[in-house]
């Protein structure tokens, strides 16, 4: 991030990260893209995300660079690591040299595995923006972190993670609203069909709407059908009148 082109590239990525309301949006594909953009912008060895999809198990999502290594480093963190720390606190874990004694004491299994793969440093930032933590972005670097560069890179990763959190939250909200809207529309359509069927029977038999509804309801219960299905059959003329009249005669 030392030149104008890199700054413009960061701006493009931040804008693209907001594009989460498209048809066929897939969170795992999106987070893999996020990890790849971190590698691109930060010159990292690899990056991945520990993602807690709502109501589901935790997903480990690796970028395409060093994919197997990154997945292994994410998986070993069930014993402790920067992802779990960031997930627990909701705060970033600043760059940590893998060869530091403090790192080995905090995450022995993770540090041993990272050292084996030539990882010199790591840091993690939460996917969070004024709300619950949705996951953690973990970046792995090939050189020991330098103070100035590390601060800058951590800020960039944090900005990308916050933008991703906003995008994911917007997608979840949008999906929930669409689901509710579809449910309400389905209920409304069902009610319209039932009212239409009631009107057909009431006019055909010269009875009130309440009595027509009772006939529909009794028939649906006897045949173990949803009343909307019965109403649709009445509208389409698929139920013989004598069958329904049998239920009507039971009312008298």
């Amino acid at each position: 991030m030392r030149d104008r082109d890199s700054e413009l590239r960061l701006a493009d990525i931040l804008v693209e990260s907001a594009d989460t309301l498209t048809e066929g949006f897939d969170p795992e594909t999106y987070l893999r893209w996020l990890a790849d953009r971190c590698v691109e912008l930060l010159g990292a060895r690899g990056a991945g995300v520990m993602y807690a999809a709502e109501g589901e198990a935790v997903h480990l999502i690796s970028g395409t660079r060093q994919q197997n290594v990154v997945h292994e480093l994410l998986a070993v963190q069930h014993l402790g690591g920067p992802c779990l720390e960031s997930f627990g606190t909701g705060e970033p874990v600043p760059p940590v040299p893998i060869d530091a004694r403090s790192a080995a004491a905090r995450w022995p299994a993770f540090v041993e595995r990272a050292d084996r793969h030539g990882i010199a440093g790591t840091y993690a930032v939460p996917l969070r923006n004024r709300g619950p933590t949705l996951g953690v972005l973990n970046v792995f670097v090939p050189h020991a972190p330098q103070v100035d560069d590390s601060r800058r890179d951590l800020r960039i990763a944090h900005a990308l993670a916050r933008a991703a959190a906003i995008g994911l939250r917007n997608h979840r909200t949008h999906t929930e609203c669409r689901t509710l809207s579809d449910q309400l529309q389905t209920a409304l359509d069902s009610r319209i069909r039932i009212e239409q069927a009631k009107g057909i029977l009431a006019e055909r038999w010269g009875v009130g709407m309440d009595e027509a509804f009772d006939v529909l309801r009794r028939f649906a219960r006897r045949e173990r059908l949803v009343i909307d299905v019965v109403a649709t059959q009445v509208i389409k003329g698929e139920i013989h009148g004598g069958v329904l009249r049998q239920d009507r005669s039971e009312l008298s």
Side-chain angles (χ1 to χ4, degrees), residues 17-160:
S17 68
D19 189 19
T20 60
L21 303 184
T22 56
E23 292 293 332
F25 173 82
D26 176 51
E28 291 200 19
T29 300
Y30 175 76
L31 292 173
R32 187 169 294 110
W33 168 85
L34 175 70
D36 285 344
R37 300 293 73 77
C38 279
V39 170
E40 172 191 345
L41 291 172
L42 304 173
R45 178 82 177 274
V49 176
M50 187 177 287
Y51 175 58
E54 194 165 10
E56 299 179 14
V58 172
H59 296 257
L60 306 180
I61 304 166
S62 308
T64 56
R65 179 78 64 85
Q66 298 286 319
Q67 189 168 9
N68 292 336
V69 171
V70 171
H71 189 273
E72 187 177 338
L73 292 174
L74 292 175
V76 77
Q77 292 188 52
H78 73 281
L79 299 171
C83 279
L84 289 188
E85 283 199 10
S86 183
F87 222 125
T89 64
E91 298 294 334
V93 173
V96 179
I98 292 300
D99 61 1
R101 290 185 180 180
S102 59
R106 289 161 72 185
W107 321 308
F110 169 76
V111 167
E112 185 276 330
R113 199 68 56 88
D115 185 60
R116 184 192 305 175
H117 289 297
I119 301 299
T122 186
Y123 51 94
V125 290
L127 300 178
R128 177 174 178 268
N129 185 69
R130 292 197 299 271
T133 300
L134 305 179
V136 176
L137 170 65
N138 201 176
V139 182
F140 308 100
V141 296
H143 306 292
Q146 302 299 313
V147 175
D148 291 340
D149 290 344
S150 295
R151 288 175 179 170
R152 181 197 65 234
D153 291 350
L154 183 66
R155 288 184 64 186
I156 293 171
H158 199 193
L160 291 174

Side-chain angles (χ1 to χ4, degrees), residues 197-217 219 230 234 239-249 251:
K198 285 164 55 179
I200 291 172
L201 295 180
E203 182 179 5
R204 182 183 300 171
W205 294 335
V207 299
M209 296 287 280
D210 289 342
E211 184 176 343
F213 179 71
D214 284 339
V215 170
L216 289 173
R217 183 172 56 189
F219 183 83
V230 178
V234 169
I239 297 180
H240 191 273
V243 177
L244 289 172
R245 286 194 182 95
Q246 176 184 342
D247 278 71
R248 184 194 172 197
S249 64
L251 296 175

Side-chain angles (χ1 to χ4, degrees), residues 189-207:
D189 291 343
S190 174
R191 190 62 192 172
I192 290 172
R193 285 189 291 269
I194 292 170
E195 291 297 320
Q196 186 176 354
K198 285 164 55 179
I200 291 172
L201 295 180
E203 182 179 5
R204 182 183 300 171
W205 294 335
V207 299

